[in-house]
Amino acid sequence: GAVVSQHPSWVICKSGTSVKIECRSLDFQATTMFWYRQFPKQSLMLMATSNEGSKATYEQGVEKDKFLINHASLTLSTLTVTSAHPEDSSFYICSAIGGRVKDEAGGPSNEQYFGPGTRLTVT
Amino acid sequence: AQKITQTQPGMFVQEKEAVTLDCTYDTSDQSYGLFWYKQPSSGEMIFLIYQGSYDEQNATEGRYSLNFQKARKSANLVISASQLGDSAMYFCAMREMNTGFQKLVFGTGTRLLVSP
């Protein structure tokens, strides 16, 4: 299957600083990338959807000025957590899909390929 | 309302036995897709199986099969011949075509423990 990488895999930063997380599709062009956040023992919650060359679409309750998303190319999306606070400590996972959305009635499933995740700890 | 409901926070099974992980969903869409993912302690999300709403046959992938009951809106995952390496969190997810961007909505997950 397709490969998505994330960098860094873990990061510790001080409160008030900004952290950038990269998500790369290594062997395909990702027209759409998703950013999820997962708190300990909880499910994945979608934060935002990013399409190459356009502004990200944020889910309700996610501060777009705090979580800056840039999808500058078809293989790279970045999430910047600005002025991080301890409550931002979480596991951040990206996923990517490529190609046109296909109808569920036929054709392949346009599977989402997940990155390995980035564990952010804000002290 | 919850779009995806997984009512079993934890399940135990002995090695080599089969186990069923429950998932019910809520949608008014006619076209949707259902997914199961495995998340081991490392955190990576591993795709297991997919079922489209128009698929008449239950999906199967090796030891994984999806018991799709459309009228009941359930999509239970069946793991046959459990192995110790199957111990992990399992998430059911749904994609509704009306969202346009193929967003996945996840359930709360079930932690599966396989004992020797």
Side-chain angles (χ1 to χ4, degrees):
Chain A
V3 178
V4 175
S5 71
Q6 276 184 247
H7 178 80
S9 54
W10 59 270
V11 57
I12 301 172
C13 71
K14 289 189 176 179
S15 188
T17 60
S18 295
V19 174
K20 180 186 283 189
I21 302 170
E22 293 184 349
C23 176
R24 292 182 187 274
S25 57
L26 298 185
D27 51 1
F28 69 102
Q29 292 188 325
T31 52
T32 302
M33 286 184 170
F34 301 90
W35 285 96
Y36 296 86
R37 181 168 51 182
Q38 185 180 30
F39 291 109
K41 300 190 188 303
Q42 294 190 23
S43 187
L44 278 73
M45 299 299 294
L46 181 66
M47 298 175 68
T49 303
S50 77
N51 290 287
E52 186 265 338
S54 62
K55 287 184 181 179
T57 303
Y58 290 82
E59 294 298 301
Q60 197 171 9
V62 178
E63 298 173 60
K64 61 181 180 182
D65 294 331
K66 180 170 183 63
F67 298 99
L68 302 178
I69 291 171
N70 188 315
H71 194 157
S73 77
L74 282 171
T75 59
L76 173 64
S77 176
T78 60
L79 167 69
T80 301
V81 183
T82 61
S83 186
H85 290 289
E87 57 265 30
D88 298 323
S89 298
S90 186
F91 191 57
Y92 292 86
I93 309 176
C94 72
S95 70
I97 57 173
R100 186 180 62 85
V101 173
K102 293 186 185 290
D103 192 274
E104 302 289 358
S109 64
N110 281 134
E111 179 185 333
Q112 279 191 33
Y113 299 98
F114 283 83
T118 297
R119 195 164 300 281
L120 169 65
T121 302
V122 185
T123 60
Chain B
Q2 290 286 340
K3 292 260 186 184
I4 295 285
T5 302
Q6 293 181 254
T7 57
Q8 308 154 314
M11 287 287 284
F12 293 89
V13 68
Q14 269 201 313
E15 204 177 2
K16 299 179 186 175
E17 292 188 349
V19 63
T20 298
L21 306 183
D22 294 342
C23 173
T24 57
Y25 59 92
D26 181 27
T27 181
S28 56
D29 251 19
Q30 295 300 309
S31 181
Y32 53 89
L34 297 156
F35 299 76
W36 277 92
Y37 286 87
K38 172 184 177 182
Q39 187 180 43
S41 56
S42 58
E44 60 185 312
M45 295 293 285
I46 302 169
F47 167 75
L48 296 179
I49 198 166
Y50 165 81
Q51 180 90 39
S53 57
Y54 292 107
D55 294 340
E56 294 187 354
Q57 302 252 351
N58 285 343
T60 59
E61 290 284 350
R63 294 187 299 110
Y64 304 108
S65 61
L66 200 151
N67 184 358
F68 182 45
Q69 297 190 39
K70 196 170 181 177
R72 293 185 179 183
K73 294 188 175 177
S74 76
N76 298 339
L77 176 71
V78 180
I79 305 174
S80 62
S82 298
Q83 301 172 355
L84 296 178
D86 294 335
S87 295
M89 280 293 289
Y90 288 80
F91 291 98
C92 179
M94 178 172 66
R95 176 180 70 200
E96 295 170 291
M97 287 310 292
N98 68 2
T99 65
F101 290 133
Q102 295 200 67
K103 297 194 300 185
L104 282 178
V105 176
F106 286 85
T108 51
T110 296
R111 181 168 297 282
L112 176 66
L113 273 176
V114 182
S115 60

